[in-house]
Amino acid sequence: MEGVEVIELKKSYGRRKALAGISLRAEPGKVTVILGPNGAGKTTLIRSLMTLIFPDSGQVRILGRDPFRHKEVFNRVGYVQELPNLPPFMSGRELLEFSARIKGVPREEVDHVLELVDMRENANRKIAKYSKGMTQRIALAEALLGEPDVLVMDEPNVGTDPVLNLRLRQELEKMKREGTSILISTHELEEVKRLGDEVYFLFNGELFFKGTVEELVLRFLGVRVVVETCDRESLLGVLKRLDYVMEVKESGNRFLIRLSSDKREEFLRELVLNEVRVRGFFLDQSLEEAYEAAVREAVRA
Amino acid sequence: MIGELILYEMRRSVARKKVVSLILITVVFEVGIYVALSQVRSPRIEELISPIQPILWLVGVLLPQSLLLHFITISISSGSMSEEYEQGTVDFFLTKAITRLKFGTGKLLGGFILVSLIYILMVILAITFSSLLFGSQEYLNFLPGLILTVIFSSLTFFSIAFMVGELVRRSSLAFLISSSVLIGSILVGAVLVFVARLTGDDLYNVIAIALPSWGATELPFLYAGGIPNSSLIVQALEIFPGVPGTQIDAVILTIGYSSIALIISFVSLLTRDIPKRIA
């Protein structure tokens, strides 16, 4: 398989299981997100993938090859560390040129990625003199060097400003369209909502949930729809008759309605049949709340 | 790729204040000893220096070997791996198409080439100042062999410090442990040699020779002993005078200690996890 594949990966530190048989796939043209609270095993998983940690058992495949045996595969992989640590005595440009030589990427690409992260003007300063955000920009530029087929990012938004986040998002969307496999471990749920195609939720080294963002919300938060209408009485009349309506919260012309199961289509049909004048109807996807609910459920489990 | 890593390691080491300070101290010593010898002109000193004036280059060539070069070596080598772990920069390299073996080899070679270049700089200073201040120098045909023995014998503590750095992954601790091994080994060796003289029991000499410091410090002195009229200089600078070891013993011990230390270093590097930044 192209992209990234992790099969039954296990890693323990003494009696503590950091990874208890995790399997994962990050397919080309998709953004795969690893979610989970601190200590869930996200970083151990990514570091195992990047050959920094030797798993106790299981397999890792990047672009169909075992990266522990075929390190050359990393010429096609971009990696952003959480809080990147780069050689402080080098300048940003020197670092990128060094990386370009190792990856076999033409030197001209360096200027392109520097432009992308808006670091051309500061490229000749020593990394030791950079702010946290500037270091993060250089790390991103380094990861994007040579248009990698696989991009692995561990908390890429730490220390970055909104402008860079926007650029990064645009670049990721472009790479996704071009078929890059993108694997991100993050706590930035807004980014997950915008970019994530598949979510792996880890807890205590185990895979607790796998699915799309929508599925995550549905599973842990239930179905919540927002109806916008001026026709309050008609709407309330319909809601009273439907046994799958669990909860209604009213806020001006907005009604937040929790359904016992995914009966969105049926509910919408009822509103239309009863001639409720609906101005807006959409699914409420509060990923933050879903995430919190998932953590709660994982703790209980 | 190894070439890139060698250059990286040399630049990284030179960027460190500790290493630069040690090099500067050594250069000051190197120049200072010749200036001092040329300025102090008492009849006794004149009498002593006069027969060895044509081989005074040997003082500058052997002086760093006694101790300072080993400290520079330890300073460079102990930080070679440990600082990468401390700063977290090891992640940058090992998530590229660079195997751990190549990474370790590149760093090892880079550090060792830098030590060799620093020593060659000292040799150049020694030849220049001895010639300028004491006239034409003789027996320079011994110089290449002497340089080789000094560089070769620096391998012992270079490898030990590299190993300690890889094992403990903390630069200050690695420098402290490696320096303690050097100083401790010299002190214990000196005591053993003294006890051997007092008791006449050669076993103490054998133990002193087997310590890492003897092979690491004595080989160049044993080689320099072949230069005519060199005994005064050799005895003045030698750490273990009068110990009955041979050049072959020193070579074997240097190879032995270096090999063991390097094998342990690479087994550790190739098999241990790289944790997230320690410091």
Side-chain angles (χ1 to χ4, degrees), chain A residues 186-202:
Chain A
T186 185
H187 283 115
E188 288 290 321
L189 299 180
E190 197 54 41
E191 296 300 315
V192 177
K193 212 191 288 184
R194 285 171 197 264
L195 290 167
D197 293 301
E198 188 122 47
V199 174
Y200 286 78
F201 190 99
L202 305 190

Side-chain angles (χ1 to χ4, degrees), chain B residues 110-250:
Chain B
F112 195 66
I113 290 170
L114 181 65
V115 168
S116 307
L117 290 177
I118 292 168
Y119 180 64
I120 287 168
L121 168 75
M122 293 170 188
V123 170
I124 291 169
L125 286 173
I127 303 295
T128 308
F129 279 86
S130 58
S131 304
L132 281 175
L133 299 171
F134 299 97
S136 173
Q137 297 294 295
E138 293 174 7
Y139 302 113
L140 287 171
N141 55 318
F142 281 89
L143 188 60
L146 205 50
I147 291 173
L148 279 180
T149 56
V150 170
I151 290 174
F152 175 75
S153 54
S154 70
L155 252 179
T156 303
F157 281 97
F158 187 87
S159 311
I160 289 173
F162 189 83
M163 173 191 74
V164 176
E166 165 55 34
L167 292 178
V168 302
R169 295 181 171 184
R170 279 173 173 75
S171 59
S172 304
L173 190 59
F175 183 76
L176 193 72
I177 292 172
S178 309
S179 306
S180 303
V181 172
L182 170 67
I183 301 292
S185 171
I186 287 173
L187 289 176
V188 171
V191 170
L192 287 170
V193 171
F194 181 67
V195 173
R197 274 190 201 142
L198 283 181
T199 60
D201 189 343
D202 209 34
L203 177 68
Y204 295 105
N205 275 331
V206 173
I207 299 170
I209 287 171
L211 293 172
S213 54
W214 184 82
T217 55
E218 281 304 291
L219 181 61
F221 292 105
L222 292 170
Y223 180 79
I227 300 171
N229 300 325
S230 65
S231 57
L232 180 67
I233 296 172
V234 169
Q235 278 170 25
L237 298 174
E238 204 175 11
I239 289 179
F240 296 108
V243 178
T246 65
Q247 288 187 50
I248 299 291
D249 295 335

Side-chain angles (χ1 to χ4, degrees), chain A residues 3-205:
Chain A
V4 176
E5 192 172 19
V6 172
I7 306 159
E8 280 297 309
L9 209 63
K10 289 184 182 171
K11 178 73 182 176
S12 296
Y13 295 106
R15 295 173 72 182
R16 192 178 75 80
K17 284 182 181 172
L19 295 175
I22 298 286
S23 295
L24 170 150
R25 286 163 79 96
E27 290 172 21
K30 284 188 175 174
V31 174
T32 306
V33 182
I34 307 171
L35 280 181
N38 293 335
K42 304 186 296 293
T43 297
T44 304
L45 177 61
I46 285 189
R47 291 182 78 79
S48 301
L49 197 63
M50 299 308 293
T51 70
L52 295 169
I53 287 177
F54 295 105
D56 298 335
S57 65
Q59 284 181 38
V60 172
R61 291 265 181 277
I62 297 179
L63 300 169
R65 312 192 83 175
D66 178 353
F68 287 94
R69 290 168 186 269
H70 302 278
K71 285 237 45 175
E72 69 278 3
V73 83
F74 284 110
N75 282 335
R76 293 160 66 195
V77 177
Y79 171 56
V80 183
Q81 292 169 258
E82 180 188 2
L83 302 172
N85 301 303
L86 306 173
F89 64 91
M90 282 180 155
S91 70
R93 180 178 291 282
E94 283 171 344
L95 181 95
L96 293 175
E97 286 176 354
F98 178 86
S99 184
R101 286 195 295 274
I102 288 176
K103 288 181 175 178
V105 171
R107 209 173 157 179
E108 302 78 63
E109 279 258 343
V110 169
D111 283 314
H112 169 67
V113 290
L114 280 170
E115 194 72 56
L116 206 68
V117 297
D118 201 14
M119 278 293 284
R120 260 187 106 147
E121 280 181 19
N122 292 302
N124 294 322
R125 283 173 63 190
K126 295 272 178 257
I127 289 171
K129 306 276 181 198
Y130 284 169
S131 67
K132 201 196 278 181
M134 288 161 97
T135 310
Q136 186 76 336
R137 281 169 190 259
I138 288 294
L140 281 172
E142 197 280 320
L144 298 174
L145 198 61
E147 297 179 346
D149 295 326
V150 170
L151 187 61
V152 179
M153 306 172 101
D154 194 359
E155 295 287 350
N157 302 93
V158 174
T160 56
D161 58 41
V163 178
L164 181 64
N165 285 347
L166 179 66
R167 282 204 184 179
L168 176 63
R169 195 183 307 136
Q170 287 166 345
E171 188 59 25
L172 292 182
E173 278 164 359
K174 181 177 151 249
M175 291 175 83
K176 190 173 146 177
R177 284 195 300 275
E178 289 168 356
T180 307
S181 307
I182 302 169
L183 181 65
I184 309 179
S185 161
T186 185
H187 283 115
E188 288 290 321
L189 299 180
E190 197 54 41
E191 296 300 315
V192 177
K193 212 191 288 184
R194 285 171 197 264
L195 290 167
D197 293 301
E198 188 122 47
V199 174
Y200 286 78
F201 190 99
L202 305 190
F203 189 82
N204 277 350

Side-chain angles (χ1 to χ4, degrees), chain B residues 55-129:
Chain B
I55 55 162
L56 273 179
W57 60 270
L58 198 55
V59 175
V61 170
L62 285 178
L63 182 69
Q65 163 62 20
S66 304
L67 210 58
L68 269 172
L69 186 67
H70 294 296
F71 270 111
I72 292 174
T73 299
I74 287 172
S75 176
I76 290 173
S77 182
S78 63
S80 184
M81 291 305 298
S82 56
E83 284 175 5
E84 300 285 359
Y85 293 115
E86 275 180 346
Q87 295 175 351
T89 42
V90 64
D91 287 16
F92 172 79
F93 294 97
L94 296 186
T95 54
K96 304 275 170 296
I98 300 171
T99 62
R100 293 185 183 213
L101 185 65
K102 276 187 185 164
F103 182 63
T105 308
K107 289 188 70 69
L108 187 81
L109 290 176
F112 195 66
I113 290 170
L114 181 65
V115 168
S116 307
L117 290 177
I118 292 168
Y119 180 64
I120 287 168
L121 168 75
M122 293 170 188
V123 170
I124 291 169
L125 286 173
I127 303 295
T128 308
F129 279 86

Side-chain angles (χ1 to χ4, degrees), chain A residues 221-226 256-259 282-284 286 289:
Chain A
L221 213 55
V223 184
R224 295 201 313 190
V225 290
V226 174
L256 179 67
I257 300 154
R258 190 158 70 87
L259 309 179
F282 47 88
L283 186 69
D284 175 45
S286 170
E289 286 178 49

